[in-house]
Amino acid sequence: MRIIIMGPPGAGKGTQAKHLAQHFGIPAISTGDIFRTNVSLATPLGLDAKRYLDAGEYVPDEITNDMVRDRIGEPDAATGFLLDGYPRTLAQVEELDGMIEPAGHVIDAVISLVVDEDEVVERLLKRARIEGRADDTEDIIRRRQEIYLEQTAPLIDAYSKQGLIVEVDGLGDVDKVTSRILSAYDLSDAEAIC
Ligand code: AMP
């Protein structure tokens, strides 16, 4: 099972990804988390990525694609994975297809969390107070929303054309959103794919 979860920054992708990955027994792969771990360990990848993360800009595709190719090549991702935060550009969509197609794999579904912009900005400001993430200041939050609309929102159209989008209302408490996703996503099909 190979699933993608999408939505604007603050839509709750990370939390839902963890719940769903546990439910399906596949790894949740968050490019944001991998970048942040590398930044905090000051690895060469982290040193390259830091300035983009701090500014709320996307890390260049070549760096991001190589990192994802390595990660999905690990043994725990052999039977499936849930991608959180990737792909984020149309070029990354193509690249991802190229990573999995040689093995005869496809993307099974793209969950799109739909949320109101004011609500997500409020959520991110709250997260900034709790977690103190460097990219959660108000200016950077707004910049990240802008980039999402410019570069990532078009992916929803692209995946809709392939019939892969599962649209889910992302507002409300975490468990409610998880059950909405599980009922929207046809579980009998999903289990058959496993
Ligand atoms: P996230 O935790 O998913 O909100 O990601 C945090 C930051 O990591 C983003 O603002 C980008 O700087 C970087 N990032 C994560 N995923 C990608 C991606 N697919 N392409 C480019 N940059 C990314």
Side-chain angles (χ1 to χ4, degrees):
M1 184 189 294
R2 289 167 184 82
I3 317 175
I4 295 167
I5 188 162
M6 287 187 58
K13 294 187 296 294
T15 311
Q16 292 304 327
K18 287 187 188 98
H19 284 220
L20 295 168
Q22 196 175 15
H23 179 93
F24 292 120
I26 52 178
I29 299 176
S30 156
T31 43
D33 280 352
I34 303 176
F35 282 131
R36 279 185 290 277
T37 304
N38 278 277
V39 169
S40 65
L41 297 174
T43 64
L45 172 65
L47 296 176
D48 273 351
K50 186 177 184 329
R51 63 197 157 110
Y52 300 103
L53 265 78
D54 286 351
E57 304 288 335
Y58 285 174
V59 177
D61 282 344
E62 311 79 65
I63 299 177
T64 309
N65 291 332
D66 286 350
M67 182 179 89
V68 171
R69 187 176 296 102
D70 286 350
R71 178 62 189 91
I72 66 176
E74 285 178 24
D76 67 332
T79 57
F81 48 75
L82 197 166
L83 287 172
D84 156 21
Y86 182 92
R88 259 176 155 111
T89 64
L90 289 165
Q92 291 179 9
V93 170
E94 270 189 44
E95 197 68 26
L96 174 62
D97 285 344
M99 289 177 208
I100 62 173
E101 274 168 9
H105 298 143
V106 291
I107 297 299
D108 299 301
V110 179
I111 296 157
S112 165
L113 288 180
V114 180
V115 287
D116 172 77
E117 181 169 344
D118 290 342
E119 168 81 25
V120 291
V121 170
E122 194 40 52
R123 272 195 200 181
L124 288 172
L125 289 170
K126 190 168 153 202
R127 183 170 80 187
R129 290 190 290 270
I130 298 168
E131 293 178 14
R133 255 176 65 164
D135 57 354
D136 272 347
T137 64
E138 185 153 5
D139 282 358
I140 296 176
I141 288 170
R142 300 230 178 256
R143 179 70 191 133
R144 289 169 63 217
Q145 300 294 336
E146 244 172 52
I147 297 179
Y148 175 82
L149 287 176
E150 272 167 30
Q151 303 214 36
T152 306
L155 274 59
I156 296 179
D157 251 16
Y159 280 127
S160 286
K161 289 192 181 118
Q162 300 180 42
L164 291 177
I165 290 282
V166 177
E167 206 171 75
V168 178
D169 176 5
L171 287 186
D173 69 52
V174 171
D175 292 340
K176 226 179 241 160
V177 177
T178 309
S179 19
R180 267 182 223 143
I181 296 173
L182 290 174
S183 44
Y185 181 30
D186 186 346
L187 283 181
S188 49
D189 275 357
E191 271 152 17
I193 291 159
C194 264

